[in-house]
Amino acid sequence: MRSLLALLIMTLALAALCCCEKDPKDPSGSPGADSIKITKEVANAFVKRQKRSTLYERYFEYYKSPMEQMHERCENYPPCDYLSDQIGFSMAYNRFFGRY
């Protein structure tokens, strides 16, 4: 295990030395602002706009169902969360918060 770790550290050190070494005669070492710019077509291939959603979908993005609210309430209370792993969510919720 130690030999594998030593080999990994040596490989990373050599890779860092090779990547960080600069040639003072090579002017292409530092990229200019023009080399960073890309065209709109290339940028649009990576960035996709989100489609418009209906009113129904927007409603459910902002408002959670009552069952989901109960799950979050139980998850935020550690004894209920622990007990829900042991006996199930509905029984744990009933024990700590009453009937749903």
Side-chain angles (χ1 to χ4, degrees):
M1 184 67 178
R2 288 185 183 183
S3 62
L4 181 61
L5 184 61
L7 179 65
L8 179 64
I9 292 173
M10 289 292 292
T11 306
L12 289 174
L14 288 174
L17 284 174
C18 292
C19 292
C20 296
E21 186 177 317
K22 292 184 179 178
D23 188 14
K25 296 178 184 176
D26 189 19
S28 66
S30 60
D34 294 332
S35 65
I36 296 174
K37 294 181 182 177
I38 58 175
T39 62
K40 286 184 180 180
E41 292 80 17
V42 175
N44 286 336
F46 292 106
V47 180
K48 298 288 184 188
R49 284 183 34 190
Q50 194 175 28
K51 294 181 180 179
R52 293 188 177 130
S53 58
T54 63
L55 183 63
Y56 179 77
E57 291 171 349
R58 284 189 213 144
Y59 174 80
F60 282 108
E61 286 178 8
Y62 294 112
Y63 300 104
K64 298 176 182 170
S65 69
M67 185 60 84
E68 188 175 354
Q69 290 174 355
M70 288 189 300
H71 272 281
E72 287 183 357
R73 185 175 180 195
C74 188
E75 286 174 357
N76 290 336
Y77 187 57
C80 182
D81 188 34
Y82 177 75
L83 192 62
S84 69
D85 291 338
Q86 305 298 320
I87 62 173
F89 165 73
S90 61
M91 292 177 70
Y93 189 86
N94 286 338
R95 175 153 181 186
F96 288 102
F97 303 110
R99 288 204 51 98
Y100 54 88

